[in-house]
Amino acid sequence: MIPSSHDVFLFNEGSLYHSYRMLGSHSGELDGQFGVRFTVWAPNAREVRVVGDFNSWHGGHHSMDRVENSGIWSLFVQGLHEGAIYQYEIHTYSGGMFLKADPYAVFSEVRPGRASVVHSLNKYHWRDEHWQKSKLETVSYKSPVLIYEVHLGTWKKKQGGELLTYREIANDLVDYVVSLGFTHIELLPLSEHPYDRSWGYQITGYYSVTSRFGTPEDFMYLVDRCHQHGIGVIMDWVPGHFCKDDHGLRRFDGMAQFEPEDERLAEKLEWGTLSFDFAKNEVISFLISNAIFWMEMYHVDGLRVDAVASMLLLNFGKSEDRWTYNSNGGNENLHALSFMKKLNEAVFQHYPAALMIAEDSTDWPLVSAPTYAGGLGFNYKWNMGWMNDILRYMEMDPIHRSNHHQLITFSFIYAFSENYILPFSHDEVVHGKKSLLNKMPGDYWSKFANLRVLYSYMMAHPGKKLLFMGCEFGQFDEWKDLEQLDWGLLEFDMHAKLKDYVRELNLLVKHEAALTELDHDRSGFEWIDPHAVSQSIVSFKRMSSQPQDLMIIICNFTPVVHRDYRVGVPLAETYNEIFNSDLSRYGGSDVRNLSSIEAEEIPWQNQPFSIHITIPPLGAVMFKVKSR
């Protein structure tokens, strides 16, 4: 239990990737006596004491010992048991004294409590062996990845408005996600955070799963149940900044410890937070260990890494008078770049099937390329450009869309430059941006039709997919981050039909290899006609490695029905309509292609053959060669 010199060396070197096994509070025995070992990194402190309910918050008899010249302090307290509440009493050389939560605590008091709780994470019996084995045998790049993004506090609540626990939400959430055909859930950050309305993005306890929803074992149950039903779990992770609350990481030992000393580098003024100091080796050990911790202890399948741009760029979001430059005179944060590469190398070394997803709004090259190929080492990146372009386009009245046709075609130019995920996330349906349904122009019918064609275009576009909760049934109001989703809307026909539509789209993607197998390969996509500007129509092919999987996709972004519309096709075969967003069971007008269509030997749109089809208003249709 005593920190080994080898572990201490690796921690100070920035290479102790399981540092949570050394630091924090750990129950065990020393010289035959049961108790708890406390270990903390506080290099600038004059003295550190452990205080808690077990010593009436007076630490005079529980002063910690320095561990060599490492900046680490440690103490074994005999007779202490799980559930003990504690903090570190930090004494500075200037005479100051204050209390801090344990940066490595695995459990914390329920807000507004600030103390840490001694807790062991070895009590839960996992039942996800089949999932863990199948995950290693699955190549995510070639498989369906359909992510349902969830804020646990507002997906559903109890009748009185209280939060559900991890266990209480597990059954309903998992059954719901399975029924809709999603493959993964992505959870907004669940590390301990003091303020509900930060949504978990301003953290005080990086290793402590938030107690507002229950115990660590309750969260394990939620993850386990997901896995037992074939659902992967991704968690938002925030290594770019942390909050300033007094009991958190800010000036932890009286000095700038986790953050840079230069306040121009430390301050994230637009968010009211502080950046991590990526130049400190111990901070690197802390952060990389934290990523691995969620995968080892909670079986999380991947991390969506928040605000990558704010780490990549020294002057992200800063006024010119606060700009700083790296040693080469540039804007790149060289230490953060090194951290991200080291992070991804470490994660994939230990968890080769992990999903490491960059939420990055820059045009930085090779974000999702391996580090040995000059990349940052993530395996996926959110396509923020696509998301911004298509939402801007869809918010226009259809009469104006022909003037902005490039907004729905430009993304295909760079679609294979990264391994992209196409996100409609929480950020797009809050703070006055309106819900996806309410962004759509037109009357009640048109709003739903626009949303259906948008979802079809998204599902047919190369890349994996993410949809925020509530978007599947068409919330009219934007996300209300203090209330549960508007589940009552499902009593209305159009909202229930939209939910069914999203389910069938998900099932289509899971069934049709052409829509997923070559998501990140140019050979999986080919234009038929990107130039039907006046009609606001695009048509293209999606392919897999098997020729029989070929799909023809046509999206019409105006409320005009096109009959006898000629579309080029590559094969002299019979084609069947296999999907149509305008079916009456989805709330559409039921303009469809009922019979098989024979290809004619009339070259069209750079294809050797062509077919005559009917295209529904504000609709998408998909065709396949009739199987023999």
Side-chain angles (χ1 to χ4, degrees):
M1 289 182 65
I2 298 173
S4 72
S5 58
H6 180 65
D7 284 350
V8 169
F9 172 80
L10 291 177
F11 178 72
N12 291 144
E13 185 189 59
S15 300
L16 187 63
Y17 298 151
H18 296 88
S19 59
Y20 49 89
R21 298 176 184 173
M22 177 179 75
L23 289 108
S25 60
H26 298 276
S27 300
E29 289 189 8
L30 181 65
D31 298 332
Q33 298 294 318
F34 186 85
V36 175
R37 167 72 63 180
F38 297 93
T39 308
V40 66
W41 176 58
N44 301 300
R46 179 176 61 84
E47 183 183 5
V48 183
R49 301 172 178 177
V50 182
V51 298
D53 56 358
F54 53 91
N55 61 12
S56 301
W57 300 93
H58 295 293
H61 296 295
H62 292 102
S63 184
M64 305 181 77
D65 301 316
R66 292 181 186 270
V67 178
E68 303 173 354
N69 296 314
S70 62
I72 293 172
W73 303 74
S74 190
L75 176 69
F76 182 80
V77 180
Q78 290 184 10
L80 206 57
H81 292 276
E82 186 161 323
I85 298 171
Y86 71 100
Q87 286 183 296
Y88 294 119
E89 184 181 280
I90 308 291
H91 295 256
T92 69
Y93 285 99
S94 62
M97 187 274 286
F98 46 85
L99 299 179
K100 288 287 188 178
D102 187 347
Y104 280 88
V106 299
F107 197 39
S108 305
E109 284 188 303
V110 179
R111 67 192 186 326
R114 297 181 166 192
S116 304
V117 180
V118 175
H119 196 93
S120 298
L121 296 180
N122 59 2
K123 298 186 290 293
Y124 186 82
H125 176 63
W126 289 91
R127 298 173 177 83
D128 63 349
E129 298 86 358
H130 177 74
W131 169 263
Q132 298 296 350
K133 182 176 183 291
S134 65
K135 184 170 67 173
L136 291 173
E137 297 170 350
T138 301
V139 179
S140 66
Y141 303 116
K142 297 184 177 182
S143 304
V145 177
L146 301 160
I147 304 168
Y148 186 66
E149 188 190 32
V150 179
H151 177 254
L152 278 188
T154 53
W155 187 71
K156 275 187 181 178
K157 291 193 173 186
K158 296 180 182 178
Q159 195 164 9
E162 297 176 5
L163 298 176
L164 294 167
T165 68
Y166 296 115
R167 286 183 184 267
E168 288 171 336
I169 206 170
N171 292 339
D172 283 354
L173 177 60
V174 174
D175 290 349
Y176 184 78
V177 170
V178 169
S179 74
L180 285 177
F182 288 98
T183 62
H184 294 72
I185 60 170
E186 180 176 314
L187 302 168
L188 270 62
L190 291 174
S191 295
E192 194 58 77
H193 53 283
Y195 183 46
D196 286 8
R197 301 196 75 180
S198 78
W199 312 333
Y201 290 97
Q202 297 191 8
I203 294 169
T204 50
Y206 273 78
Y207 288 82
S208 181
V209 67
T210 179
S211 57
R212 52 175 46 79
F213 302 116
T215 67
E217 291 71 33
D218 293 336
F219 180 57
M220 291 174 184
Y221 175 83
L222 170 58
V223 176
D224 201 8
R225 192 165 195 278
C226 285
H227 288 171
Q228 290 175 45
H229 289 78
I231 301 298
V233 179
I234 302 164
M235 197 174 77
D236 278 14
W237 187 58
V238 192
H241 61 116
F242 57 89
C243 69
K244 296 181 177 182
D245 290 58
D246 289 341
H247 66 293
L249 301 180
R250 182 178 68 90
R251 300 191 73 82
F252 184 83
D253 59 7
M255 303 289 285
Q257 179 180 333
F258 286 90
E259 69 272 30
E261 184 65 47
D262 186 339
E263 61 92 23
R264 294 174 302 167
L265 294 171
E267 292 283 349
K268 288 275 198 295
L269 292 176
E270 63 179 325
W271 297 331
T273 56
L274 294 171
S275 300
F276 280 101
D277 188 348
F278 300 111
K280 290 194 181 94
N281 290 335
E282 296 85 356
V283 171
I284 301 305
S285 286
F286 174 83
L287 288 172
I288 294 178
S289 293
N290 187 241
I292 290 174
F293 168 83
W294 290 105
M295 296 179 186
E296 179 183 14
M297 304 310 300
Y298 290 104
H299 292 204
V300 165
D301 302 292
L303 301 173
R304 176 268 201 183
V305 182
D306 180 62
V308 167
S310 75
M311 293 185 279
L312 284 174
L313 305 177
L314 287 168
N315 301 315
F316 177 88
K318 296 178 182 178
S319 57
E320 192 169 348
D321 62 311
R322 299 182 63 82
W323 283 6
T324 56
Y325 300 93
N326 63 36
S327 57
N328 300 323
N331 179 32
E332 305 85 3
N333 188 330
L334 301 179
H335 293 296
L337 282 168
S338 175
F339 156 69
M340 281 185 265
K341 293 176 181 180
K342 195 172 183 179
L343 162 72
N344 289 314
E345 289 171 354
V347 167
F348 290 122
Q349 177 186 348
H350 290 89
Y351 296 96
L355 303 176
M356 291 296 288
I357 304 165
E359 188 249 341
D360 175 32
S361 56
T362 72
D363 58 358
W364 196 279
L366 303 177
V367 170
S368 58
T371 56
Y372 62 75
L376 293 185
F378 295 95
N379 52 1
Y380 289 98
K381 172 181 172 172
W382 274 19
N383 194 334
M384 310 290 279
W386 171 86
M387 178 270 298
N388 285 316
D389 283 351
I390 188 58
L391 289 182
R392 181 184 164 201
Y393 179 84
M394 293 303 301
E395 287 190 77
M396 297 175 185
D397 188 298
I399 198 171
H400 300 302
R401 288 176 179 168
S402 62
N403 297 321
H404 302 273
H405 196 71
Q406 77 284 355
L407 292 175
I408 55 171
T409 59
F410 179 68
S411 60
F412 292 94
I413 295 174
Y414 63 87
F416 307 102
S417 62
E418 302 277 2
N419 301 326
Y420 280 119
I421 291 175
L422 310 183
F424 288 141
S425 75
H426 65 281
D427 278 329
E428 310 318 315
V429 294
V430 73
H431 294 327
K433 294 181 181 178
K434 300 186 290 188
S435 70
L436 288 188
L437 181 63
N438 227 4
K439 292 179 194 287
M440 301 298 109
D443 58 16
Y444 185 79
W445 185 92
S446 298
K447 283 181 178 293
F448 281 93
N450 271 295
L451 193 57
R452 289 195 303 273
V453 72
L454 170 61
Y455 287 168
S456 291
Y457 166 82
M458 173 194 193
M459 292 299 187
H461 193 292
K464 308 309 182 185
K465 328 296 179 186
L466 178 143
L467 193 64
F468 184 56
M469 64 182 197
C471 296
E472 75 278 9
F473 60 79
Q475 289 240 154
F476 257 117
D477 291 340
E478 64 176 27
W479 176 39
K480 300 181 286 288
D481 61 1
L482 292 177
E483 302 174 29
Q484 71 171 4
L485 295 181
D486 296 326
W487 293 105
L489 289 175
L490 286 171
E491 297 177 12
F492 297 90
D493 190 51
M494 290 294 280
H495 295 275
K497 287 179 174 179
L498 180 63
K499 178 186 162 191
D500 290 340
Y501 178 73
V502 169
R503 175 194 295 114
E504 294 203 21
L505 264 179
N506 282 342
L507 295 178
L508 180 76
V509 171
K510 293 168 83 169
H511 182 262
E512 297 294 341
L515 294 179
T516 190
E517 183 186 320
L518 299 176
D519 264 332
H520 314 297
D521 189 320
R522 290 186 184 277
S523 65
F525 169 86
E526 184 179 310
W527 279 116
I528 295 174
D529 185 10
H531 304 302
V533 176
S534 61
Q535 299 104 323
S536 296
I537 290 174
V538 291
S539 53
F540 52 90
K541 297 184 285 186
R542 290 297 309 273
M543 291 85 75
S544 78
S545 58
Q546 302 300 315
Q548 68 270 19
D549 292 333
L550 168 73
M551 293 184 68
I552 307 296
I553 293 136
I554 304 98
C555 296
N556 174 18
F557 293 97
T558 69
V560 177
V561 178
H562 294 272
R563 302 189 188 277
D564 294 323
Y565 190 93
R566 187 174 291 277
V567 176
V569 293
L571 303 171
E573 297 282 0
T574 303
Y575 291 81
N576 283 342
E577 180 183 278
I578 65 162
F579 195 85
N580 186 322
S581 70
D582 192 50
L583 299 185
S584 58
R585 71 172 186 265
Y586 305 142
S589 56
D590 223 25
V591 174
R592 57 198 301 190
N593 297 273
L594 292 171
S595 58
S596 298
I597 303 169
E598 297 290 338
E600 300 176 72
E601 199 168 341
I602 300 176
W604 200 257
Q605 298 167 335
N606 294 317
Q607 302 297 315
F609 309 97
S610 57
I611 55 176
H612 267 115
I613 64 169
T614 298
I615 306 176
L618 292 171
V621 284
M622 304 183 191
F623 293 87
K624 282 191 73 174
V625 171
K626 183 178 180 181
S627 58
R628 294 191 177 94

